[in-house]
Amino acid sequence: MTHILAIDQGTTSSRAIVFDANMKIKSSAQEEFPQHFPDSGWVEHDPDDLWSTTAGTCRAAVEKAGLGPDDIAAIGITNQRETVVVWEKETGKPIHNAIVWQDRRTADYCRELREAGHDKMITAKTGLLADPYFSGTKLKWILDHVDGARDRARAGELLFGTVDSFLIWKLTGGAAHVTDATNAARTLLYDIHKGRWSTSICDLFDIPMQMLPEVKDCAADFGTTRPDLFGRPIPILGVAGDQQAATIGQACFEPGMLKSTYGTGCFALLNTGETAVASKNRLLTTIAYQFDGKPTYALEGSIFVAGAVVQWLRDGLKIIRDAAETQPLAEKADPNQNVVLVPAFVGLGAPYWNAECRGAVFGLTRNSGPEEYAKAALESVGYQTRDLLEAMQADWQGEGAGATLRVDGGMSASDWAMQFLSDIIGAPVDRPEVLETTALGAAWLAGQRAGLYPDMEGFAKNWALERQFAPQMGEAVRAEKYGAWKRAVDATMRF
């Protein structure tokens, strides 16, 4: 048993990647699934799509690798965070579509929480903000709006989980209702200091606590798969939310180390070690990873729309057919135009946390076309990242914060986007040889638990640089462009 199967269940697709004994990718399979937008600012997934694409890609990846079930030592899982699933304990059938992390339907309730002064207690316990982004208010919404749901939950008939919990439940045939500390830390229901579900917050939201899963370390025994899925039971030994898995995959194990992942959204995490730093700049305090019952904390900034802005160019404006076309278009853009796109399609995340504003474009001329839109889309990700890094540097006075940024995720493959990112933040950007750091993090968690992979120190030594991007933009140009971005954000939030 010399291979690890990593499940990477994302916002727009499910992937499975087989890693060999040297932590190299042997094979992979990926499948997109539909997005559902039942109302403005609402985003849903069919939980059955999450499960079927996960199961299908797992089988496909193992088959593609030319392996059998006896070759797989363990499974690691990483997942889109904050997305909420509620299902029947007896049947495993969901009672509502999954409400996705991007969904803003609980904005009014979150405003009521803030106006009533509950936000300070929530932030003190969870490190999070009273915002629709997180799982707790989404779960409350389902209990409020599905007939009989709260009564059934009180009777022990319904279970709640983030996507990892739901997948583990399905993989184990209902034998395990569990999650890990990183996913629990994103629910708005978990006290990250005491390491347990918060009774006071669950009471505030009227959430029956018997719905909640057991919380484990990131590397732990999460159960074994049903024998019929892969031909034999396979242990699930590692779980982490996608951004924490990427932090692990980037070997950001020392306080002050910083990574940013560019997927559907963009998420920057700064390791703060044993200290849970309370942000003064509207960042999140979260758990980076947890081993042996001991959490390591991080500051996190979340951008809701990063790679999704490229999807918008493809599916909304239809000016590209494939994401790879964005960079060539951007390279042809008129350098004399400064089109600024604020992609607040579902509001703005950190450090603004404005759920109500929507996207806007500034600086259009008669000559603005697809090239300028493509350039503005890629630049918007760089600008938003700088917003996060400036807030982090203001919060964290530790040594080396932000000296170098390690990047991963689909958009990090764009040389143009990464060079602009380095230019606008005025710091080096390191891109690793393995861009699949999220899946790698999940694989390492499971592999080291199984005794196949090295310990933390050994894993960190294996991290390899593919390319470093150094700033080339002059300070005056950097200040001018970033100033235009700040004015555009201000105007967007005022609209």
Side-chain angles (χ1 to χ4, degrees):
M1 292 187 286
T2 55
H3 294 75
I4 298 294
L5 175 61
I7 294 170
D8 183 357
Q9 201 301 301
T11 308
T12 58
S13 68
S14 298
R15 292 188 300 170
I17 301 179
V18 175
F19 289 85
D20 66 16
N22 298 311
M23 292 183 285
K24 302 295 184 188
I25 293 175
K26 178 96 169 178
S27 68
S28 66
Q30 182 169 356
E31 187 177 347
E32 289 193 7
F33 50 83
Q35 310 290 301
H36 303 280
F37 308 101
D39 206 342
S40 175
W42 293 27
V43 189
E44 295 181 357
H45 294 154
D46 183 338
D48 291 334
D49 288 340
L50 304 182
W51 166 239
S52 64
T53 54
T54 296
T57 53
C58 283
R59 292 191 189 101
V62 173
E63 187 178 328
K64 236 163 138 178
L67 302 174
D70 290 337
D71 298 308
I72 306 299
I75 292 173
I77 298 175
T78 183
N79 57 284
Q80 55 168 310
R81 303 172 305 169
E82 295 96 13
T83 296
V84 168
V85 187
V86 177
W87 66 94
E88 294 177 346
K89 188 175 182 178
E90 283 298 313
T91 67
K93 181 181 176 183
I95 67 166
H96 190 275
N97 269 352
I99 301 183
V100 179
W101 58 271
Q102 298 162 310
D103 190 283
R104 313 304 287 172
R105 75 185 66 189
T106 62
D108 288 344
Y109 178 64
C110 289
R111 192 184 308 109
E112 291 172 16
L113 289 171
R114 293 191 296 270
E115 288 171 354
H118 295 304
D119 54 330
K120 291 182 178 60
M121 179 271 288
I122 289 171
T123 299
K125 290 181 181 293
T126 68
L128 311 178
L129 304 173
D131 188 87
Y133 175 30
F134 306 107
S135 311
T137 61
K138 303 179 197 296
L139 172 55
K140 174 179 163 54
W141 189 95
I142 290 176
L143 295 177
D144 287 345
H145 289 83
V146 175
D147 283 349
R150 186 168 274 105
D151 288 339
R152 294 187 68 194
R154 287 193 184 111
E157 296 175 15
L158 300 181
L159 299 177
F160 152 76
T162 43
V163 171
D164 60 305
S165 295
F166 180 65
L167 293 181
I168 293 168
W169 176 266
K170 300 290 279 187
L171 286 163
T172 63
H177 185 216
V178 292
T179 189
D180 85 295
T182 68
N183 277 294
R186 312 297 298 186
T187 60
L188 213 67
L189 305 173
Y190 188 74
D191 189 323
I192 63 171
H193 309 286
K194 294 180 178 177
R196 61 180 185 234
W197 299 112
S198 169
T199 304
S200 52
I201 297 176
C202 288
D203 287 347
L204 177 64
F205 293 173
D206 196 11
I207 291 171
M209 294 185 73
Q210 56 263 47
M211 298 183 75
L212 308 181
E214 178 189 353
V215 181
K216 292 176 172 277
D217 289 340
C218 297
D221 298 322
F222 291 91
T224 55
T225 62
R226 291 172 5 216
D228 60 301
L229 280 176
F230 302 109
R232 78 167 182 89
I234 298 175
I236 303 164
L237 298 181
V239 177
D242 51 12
Q243 303 316 313
Q244 285 90 343
T247 303
I248 294 165
Q250 287 279 33
C252 290
F253 295 134
E254 298 297 325
M257 294 187 76
L258 176 66
K259 76 88 201 175
S260 190
T261 298
Y262 298 94
T264 302
C266 162
F267 304 87
L269 265 77
L270 173 70
N271 185 325
T272 63
E274 297 177 9
T275 306
V277 175
S279 176
K280 297 182 176 70
N281 294 279
R282 296 174 68 75
L283 297 175
L284 308 175
T285 307
T286 195
I287 295 175
Y289 46 84
Q290 180 172 302
F291 301 121
D292 300 320
K294 183 180 176 183
T296 293
Y297 295 99
L299 281 171
E300 178 177 331
S302 309
I303 297 168
F304 297 148
V305 174
V309 75
V310 175
Q311 286 182 318
W312 174 70
L313 296 178
R314 182 191 69 184
D315 303 335
L317 296 187
K318 302 190 187 314
I319 61 176
I320 58 171
R321 285 169 296 183
D322 185 83
E325 297 173 28
T326 313
Q327 177 169 319
L329 273 180
E331 290 169 344
K332 295 176 188 171
D334 181 357
N336 296 315
Q337 291 190 52
N338 190 24
V339 177
V340 178
L341 167 62
V342 182
F345 304 141
V346 289
L348 284 170
Y352 306 104
W353 293 108
N354 187 316
E356 283 77 29
C357 70
R358 293 294 178 263
V361 185
F362 298 87
L364 293 174
T365 72
R366 284 283 299 273
N367 291 325
S368 300
E371 295 86 356
E372 286 71 35
Y373 268 91
K375 178 170 177 263
L378 293 181
E379 287 184 340
S380 73
V381 178
Y383 290 133
Q384 291 178 97
T385 304
R386 177 166 168 178
D387 288 341
L388 298 183
L389 301 193
E390 290 198 344
M392 285 179 172
Q393 287 160 357
D395 277 337
W396 171 252
Q397 305 305 317
E399 189 176 337
T404 300
L405 176 65
R406 289 185 174 181
V407 296
D408 55 79
M411 190 177 277
S412 67
S414 167
D415 290 352
W416 195 98
M418 293 302 99
Q419 183 58 57
F420 180 78
L421 174 60
S422 176
D423 285 339
I424 205 65
I425 68 173
V429 169
D430 283 359
R431 186 169 66 193
E433 284 185 356
V434 179
L435 283 181
E436 300 290 354
T437 54
T438 306
L440 176 62
W444 176 74
L445 287 171
Q448 59 94 15
R449 178 80 178 178
L452 185 63
Y453 291 163
D455 62 11
M456 187 182 286
E457 187 179 345
F459 178 65
K461 285 179 182 174
N462 282 332
W463 188 92
L465 177 72
E466 181 265 331
R467 177 173 173 182
Q468 182 175 83
F469 298 85
Q472 298 173 359
M473 185 180 286
E475 185 53 46
V477 176
R478 181 182 299 122
E480 181 184 349
K481 289 183 74 67
Y482 189 58
W485 163 259
K486 297 294 279 187
R487 291 192 300 275
V489 169
D490 184 61
T492 302
M493 292 196 297
R494 289 172 184 268
F495 179 74

